[in-house]
Amino acid sequence: MSADVERFRAVLSAKLGWVFDPSDSPQLDQVLAKRAGAARLDRAAYLAKLAGGGPWPAEMNALAEELTINETYFFRHGEQFRALQEAALPERIQDRSSQRVLRMLSVGCSSGEEAYTLAIVAREIQPGPDWIVSVLGLDASPTVLKRAAAARYSAWSLRETPDTIRQRWFHPRDGLYELDAAVRSTVQFRQYNVASEDVSLWRAEQYDVIFCRNLLMYLTPEVQAELVRRMTRSLATGGYLFLGHTDSLGSRPDGLEPMHTHRTFYYRRSTVSTMPPPAPAPMAPPRVEKRAVTQEPARHSDAYDRALGLLRDERFAEALVVIETDPPERPEPRERLLHGVLLAQAGRLRDAETICRRLLDTDGLYADAHHQLAVCLEGAGDVTGALEQYRLAAYVDQDFAMPRLRLGLLARRRGENRVAGPELERALALLRQEHEDRIALFGGGFGRIALTTLCRAELDACGVRR
């Protein structure tokens, strides 16, 4: 990477909070040449002016237009909008019944499809005409915001829109589809750079729902963290945050509770009271409780340890015999998970998938079960389903290296180096402290060193410099 492109990248990170892969260098070089030429400056003078303390809003707008990715459409990732319609909004409507006001925010709204989808969903389920629905869309690019305000879209933008919604809220105009005025009146747009503070925009507890999808991955870690803090703070108690599938806050983000419905993860602002209720008086003597926990499982824990040891030695058939011999009446989740791993190793993918789904029926936040289900789906050729489950595993446990590695490898297979690079870098960092049991279960016979070597090789193939 040339020195001027490196400086250009640093200025963009400082001014806009954006992060770029080394593989983006050719594009950055072209944009730098184009914008310096438009300003009638050589590269050095252009970069000096761009990095200077004085404002240059027209140029920042032009850069935002050149470098942002605006691929979007109505009802994109429909499972999230089903969760919004069937879980999040009904709860918020109940909580707002006295005010009759719903406020929603779309961060990185691009040409408006997401913000308008929020408004449509709210319109579909609002209890009465006296309710006020307000949606604010934010984006750094004035060009896409102008298109959003026009509210006219091609059929391609409506490709995932249900027919009933299309007929009710869209009207053919000059070969395009114009959004109904009743929906347009509920949505406003505003230019905003996420690297900057704005007190009025981020007032405490003012939004019921915030969507910020597929934006965090483009931001520097510092800007990411600050934006998440602002969004969390500005959510009403019990309000909801929806992120993109590539964005994860883990299973215990500050001030947020992870939710899992409609085959997707999202977050709810924690309730005011976080103190646990007083423990009820025991209904039986404590020694009975102790026996129930410690008496019988010891034998099965030994079977688990022996089977796991055989798995480490790649003696899969023997391990499966051990775990299936005299199975406990109520096996622990880790025993059932190991059984699923061994069944998958034996090629019995359907049986392994069944075990994983039953584990998740009991505990939807079991990251290891999500990961193993993804392994089963990937082995059966269902890459889309596998990606969903790997992402869920990474969502639930932000310290889990293995789903990050698989997401990176699958992205590499599709030629999506921009997606693969961050996933592989995260996996490489997490592999250093990954639990030995997880490496044995999900490493496919590779140890920590071999997995690390694989990760580095794939990063080199992505063009990521470390």
Side-chain angles (χ1 to χ4, degrees), residues 22-53:
S23 59
D24 295 323
S25 295
Q27 181 193 8
L28 290 177
D29 186 68
Q30 292 173 6
V31 173
L32 175 56
K34 179 179 178 180
R35 296 311 309 162
R40 297 183 179 180
L41 298 169
D42 62 31
R43 290 188 176 212
Y46 173 81
L47 289 170
K49 184 174 182 179
L50 192 65

Side-chain angles (χ1 to χ4, degrees), residues 70-272:
N70 298 313
E71 167 62 22
T72 186
Y73 47 88
F74 285 89
F75 290 90
R76 186 181 188 188
H77 300 310
E79 67 278 2
Q80 291 191 321
F81 286 106
R82 286 190 289 274
L84 176 73
Q85 181 169 353
E86 298 173 12
L89 280 184
E91 186 177 299
R92 297 309 304 149
I93 286 171
Q94 182 176 357
D95 289 348
R96 295 291 197 189
S97 58
S98 58
Q99 300 103 328
R100 290 180 169 79
V101 174
L102 286 174
R103 295 186 179 92
M104 295 182 282
L105 182 67
S106 171
V107 184
C109 67
S110 186
S111 46
E113 288 91 333
E114 179 180 272
Y116 286 131
T117 304
L118 291 173
I120 289 171
V121 171
R123 278 280 187 176
E124 288 284 304
I125 67 169
Q126 70 182 58
D130 57 338
W131 277 73
I132 298 173
V133 174
S134 171
V135 181
L136 177 61
L138 307 175
D139 203 276
S141 169
T143 302
V144 296
L145 291 177
K146 185 176 180 180
R147 293 204 298 267
R152 288 191 174 193
Y153 297 94
S154 68
W156 185 242
S157 292
L158 276 67
R159 59 189 182 272
E160 294 295 328
T161 303
D163 289 340
T164 55
I165 297 294
R166 185 191 299 227
Q167 293 166 8
R168 183 178 301 123
W169 298 113
F170 293 89
H171 311 294
R173 294 285 187 276
D174 303 324
L176 298 173
Y177 289 89
E178 184 176 83
L179 194 61
D180 190 89
V183 174
R184 296 204 311 271
S185 66
T186 66
V187 183
Q188 294 182 326
F189 296 100
R190 177 175 166 185
Q191 186 181 357
Y192 174 67
N193 173 5
V194 294
S196 62
E197 178 62 277
D198 187 313
V199 175
S200 65
L201 182 62
W202 301 113
R203 286 198 303 270
E205 301 207 15
Q206 67 174 321
Y207 302 113
D208 295 284
V209 174
I210 297 176
F211 268 54
C212 179
R213 303 190 300 171
N214 305 316
L215 173 64
L216 296 181
M217 66 180 289
Y218 296 106
L219 305 178
T220 64
E222 297 77 15
V223 174
Q224 282 184 23
E226 182 57 32
L227 179 58
V228 170
R229 282 192 290 270
R230 290 170 182 164
M231 291 191 296
T232 302
R233 184 175 64 244
S234 66
L235 273 174
T237 300
Y240 288 87
L241 173 64
F242 288 80
L243 300 177
H245 292 311
T246 57
D247 305 319
S248 173
L249 304 182
S251 59
R252 295 180 179 86
D254 290 343
L256 297 168
E257 307 168 71
M259 309 294 292
H260 179 215
T261 69
H262 301 78
R263 302 184 67 186
T264 190
F265 269 95
Y266 49 104
Y267 299 91
R268 180 170 61 190
R269 175 73 188 272
S270 302
T271 55
V272 174

